[in-house]
Amino acid sequence: MSETSATGKPAGDMGLVVVGAAGRMGQTLIRAIHTMPGARVAGAIERPGSPYLGKDAGELAGIGIINVPISDDPLPAFAKADGVLDFTAPGATVEFAGYAAQARIVHVIGTTGCSADDNAKIAAAARHAIIVKSGNMSLGVNLLAVLVEQAARALDADDFDIEILEMHHRHKVDAPSGTALLLGEAAAAGRGIALAGNDVRVRDGHTGVRKPGTIGFATLRGGSVVGDHSVILAGTGERITLSHHAEDRAIFARGAVKAALWAHGKKPGLYSMRDVLGLS
């Protein structure tokens, strides 16, 4: 008989629930949990009506049977777990944030495309849940964001324009990417301005000259690109480009598991990957 803690949860490794478990990212998360010390798959959730309901999450992810059947009911899974890894859709993420708050567990959010209202609801849930939310979970991207902020602070807006270029696979549904917006926020912070109102998302037709101090975004979609991001600081006669190229979505999964392990035992609140990596 396995040992249990005072909360009734299995002692030892951190039990993590993967929501959207049958998707590409969900399967990648299951594989990452399986290979990283200190964590185990405690539950796997899919939408009602999914053809994968009842299937073993480990077998679907290619790691063999782990005796975790995929379910469409998150509440029992959350009640027995220490945390949840969530790369789903904004509406689902807001719902899961509420469940995580009820269960008082860690909620790692890699979902992108959240509205201001979604973010407000997530922040409200963080009064009771330990939430780590980031537009990108990789170490490299979060280090890049720090460098972008420093560069934007050092290079005057009158002399250097900032443009952010991103490319993702053809199946991505939100634009600009969460990572591009994370980098845009970093650039804005370096300039001491808000991103909202100073961002340019679309250029088409006779746009006139570029407004000084704005932060531009360009979005490309195609093929199987995991994620390419470049921040261009363009001055007169010179140009600086800071870039990150993701070659495997496993980097996001490993970052998410690392975030969960870091957050375990922390006080309720809304944290970022900068907090996890000590870059705040």
Side-chain angles (χ1 to χ4, degrees), residues 166-187:
E166 60 102 339
M167 182 170 186
H168 283 82
H169 53 86
R170 62 167 65 97
H171 300 292
K172 188 166 179 61
V173 298
D174 58 306
S177 69
T179 302
L181 294 172
L182 180 151
L183 296 172
E185 292 285 1

Side-chain angles (χ1 to χ4, degrees), residues 224-249:
S224 59
V225 178
V226 173
D228 288 350
H229 295 86
S230 295
V231 180
I232 302 162
L233 298 103
T236 302
E238 59 182 333
R239 186 167 69 251
I240 300 163
T241 303
L242 302 171
S243 297
H244 180 271
H245 303 283
E247 298 173 354
D248 186 343
R249 58 178 45 86

Side-chain angles (χ1 to χ4, degrees), residues 156-226:
D156 192 271
D158 292 335
D159 298 321
F160 283 84
D161 301 316
I162 298 178
E163 293 287 315
I164 300 172
L165 173 66
E166 60 102 339
M167 182 170 186
H168 283 82
H169 53 86
R170 62 167 65 97
H171 300 292
K172 188 166 179 61
V173 298
D174 58 306
S177 69
T179 302
L181 294 172
L182 180 151
L183 296 172
E185 292 285 1
R191 287 275 163 89
I193 61 174
L195 180 61
N198 291 296
D199 54 335
V200 178
R201 307 286 185 94
V202 177
R203 293 189 180 100
D204 185 30
H206 192 276
T207 61
V209 300
R210 190 184 196 282
K211 183 181 177 182
T214 54
I215 297 172
F217 290 84
T219 298
L220 307 179
R221 293 288 178 267
S224 59
V225 178
V226 173

Side-chain angles (χ1 to χ4, degrees), residues 1-259:
M1 187 173 180
S2 63
E3 184 181 353
T4 59
S5 68
T7 62
K9 296 175 183 177
D13 290 348
M14 185 179 185
L16 297 173
V17 176
V18 175
V19 292
R24 288 179 301 171
M25 193 64 206
Q27 292 182 46
T28 305
L29 287 166
I30 290 166
R31 289 192 290 269
I33 296 168
H34 187 68
T35 59
M36 292 178 68
R40 62 181 175 82
V41 181
I45 304 300
E46 259 299 334
R47 69 187 185 281
S50 168
Y52 300 102
L53 295 178
K55 295 185 182 297
D56 186 88
E59 190 171 27
L60 183 63
I63 58 173
I65 294 174
I66 59 173
N67 296 314
V68 177
I70 296 175
S71 167
D72 61 0
D73 188 357
L75 293 178
F78 282 32
K80 296 177 182 178
D82 300 302
V84 54
L85 306 184
D86 179 1
F87 287 70
T88 56
T93 290
V94 168
E95 185 176 348
F96 292 137
Y99 296 152
Q102 291 175 37
R104 301 293 201 271
I105 60 175
V106 174
H107 186 189
V108 177
I109 300 174
T111 302
T112 58
C114 293
S115 67
D117 183 57
D118 294 330
N119 286 328
K121 291 176 181 175
I122 290 167
R127 291 198 292 265
H128 301 291
I130 307 97
I131 295 179
V132 181
K133 185 177 185 295
S134 179
N136 192 297
M137 293 286 171
S138 85
L139 169 61
V141 161
N142 284 278
L143 177 59
L144 175 61
V146 173
L147 297 175
V148 167
E149 184 173 337
Q150 293 175 342
R153 184 177 296 117
L155 301 174
D156 192 271
D158 292 335
D159 298 321
F160 283 84
D161 301 316
I162 298 178
E163 293 287 315
I164 300 172
L165 173 66
E166 60 102 339
M167 182 170 186
H168 283 82
H169 53 86
R170 62 167 65 97
H171 300 292
K172 188 166 179 61
V173 298
D174 58 306
S177 69
T179 302
L181 294 172
L182 180 151
L183 296 172
E185 292 285 1
R191 287 275 163 89
I193 61 174
L195 180 61
N198 291 296
D199 54 335
V200 178
R201 307 286 185 94
V202 177
R203 293 189 180 100
D204 185 30
H206 192 276
T207 61
V209 300
R210 190 184 196 282
K211 183 181 177 182
T214 54
I215 297 172
F217 290 84
T219 298
L220 307 179
R221 293 288 178 267
S224 59
V225 178
V226 173
D228 288 350
H229 295 86
S230 295
V231 180
I232 302 162
L233 298 103
T236 302
E238 59 182 333
R239 186 167 69 251
I240 300 163
T241 303
L242 302 171
S243 297
H244 180 271
H245 303 283
E247 298 173 354
D248 186 343
R249 58 178 45 86
I251 63 173
F252 312 129
R254 289 194 295 269
V257 177
K258 181 171 182 170

Side-chain angles (χ1 to χ4, degrees), residues 139 142 146 258 262 272-280:
L139 169 61
N142 284 278
V146 173
K258 181 171 182 170
W262 174 88
S272 72
M273 280 301 287
R274 286 203 191 189
D275 296 312
V276 176
L277 299 169
L279 297 172
S280 295

